[in-house]
Amino acid sequence: MDERSAEPGPASSGYPGDAEATDDFELAGVPDSFQRLWTPYRMAYVKGGQGQVKDEESCPFCRGPQRTDDDSLIVHRGETAFVVLNLFPYNPGHLLVCPYRHVPNYTDVTAEETAEIAALSQHAMRALSATANPTGFNLGMNQGESGGAGIAAHLHQHVVPRWGGDGNFFPVIAQTKAVPATLSDVRKQLADVWDSV
């Protein structure tokens, strides 16, 4: 039997010297079944709380479509939903697909809105693949405050491009996320290829 597999707690990770340097008290960072995307750089936004959006007038997803695409970072406008860059991206090219209507839950959208949100999410993946060549994606909706929604009052689907090694020590140690392109440049690149993918 491999001696590493017999060691309790963190030492079972299999790294040389773990047994000598680590006790059996499992702390954060111990390997488990979860993959984590740490985003401490978003804390300034999160600390503002759900109180930032009080109504449709203070909702950035309601106000955005009233401005130009450049000003609001809108990549594409559909019939019932639109695609916008996340102002606080997890990764470069992090897109949000939002219905125009100010509704909080996935159960609140119509069949037409549901279909367009799904189609725009797929199209966003194709546009990101054409411009940035990601090796994977995270897609999802956080519902309600306890579900992790940054803006719980207005439904939005996340489309996050991923690359191998895109989570490095910067966010964890320095509370800094390196984003190698401006939001306006990313918006233009995606908008330019949108109709061709």
Side-chain angles (χ1 to χ4, degrees):
M1 180 199 299
D2 181 352
E3 74 176 56
R4 290 177 296 185
S5 62
E7 296 171 358
S12 63
S13 65
Y15 293 106
D18 275 358
E20 296 79 26
T22 310
D23 62 22
D24 62 357
F25 184 73
E26 295 190 2
L27 297 171
V30 173
D32 61 17
S33 61
F34 293 102
Q35 296 291 324
R36 290 178 172 82
L37 182 61
W38 297 99
T39 57
Y41 64 95
R42 292 173 52 86
M43 191 51 67
Y45 175 72
V46 173
K47 281 184 178 176
Q50 293 293 329
Q52 296 174 93
V53 178
K54 297 174 182 45
D55 51 26
E56 292 179 38
E57 194 58 36
S58 58
C59 176
F61 301 141
C62 289
R63 295 181 62 203
Q66 299 169 16
R67 298 189 299 256
T68 68
D69 290 352
D70 286 338
D71 288 344
S72 294
L73 300 172
I74 293 175
V75 173
H76 176 79
R77 294 173 188 253
E79 293 295 316
T80 64
F82 64 101
V83 181
V84 62
L85 277 173
N86 189 335
L87 191 57
F88 298 94
Y90 290 115
N91 266 343
H94 180 169
L95 295 171
L96 303 173
V97 181
C98 309
Y100 291 112
R101 288 190 317 124
H102 187 78
V103 295
N105 297 312
Y106 193 52
T107 53
D108 295 328
V109 292
T110 65
E112 293 77 19
E113 289 167 326
T114 302
E116 187 166 31
I117 289 167
L120 290 176
S121 297
Q122 291 176 329
H123 203 100
M125 291 173 67
R126 288 192 287 274
L128 286 163
S129 292
T131 59
N133 198 30
T135 56
F137 290 92
N138 291 125
L139 293 124
M141 296 179 188
N142 299 322
Q143 296 283 271
E145 291 181 45
S146 59
I151 298 176
H154 196 130
L155 178 73
H156 52 284
Q157 162 99 318
H158 294 261
V159 181
V160 184
R162 299 299 306 272
W163 298 267
D166 63 16
N168 58 35
F169 71 93
F170 263 33
V172 177
I173 303 299
Q175 295 188 343
T176 302
K177 179 72 174 179
V179 180
T182 66
L183 292 173
S184 60
D185 286 347
V186 173
R187 190 213 70 80
K188 183 175 181 345
Q189 289 170 3
L190 290 167
D192 286 349
V193 302
W194 190 268
D195 291 332
S196 65
V197 294

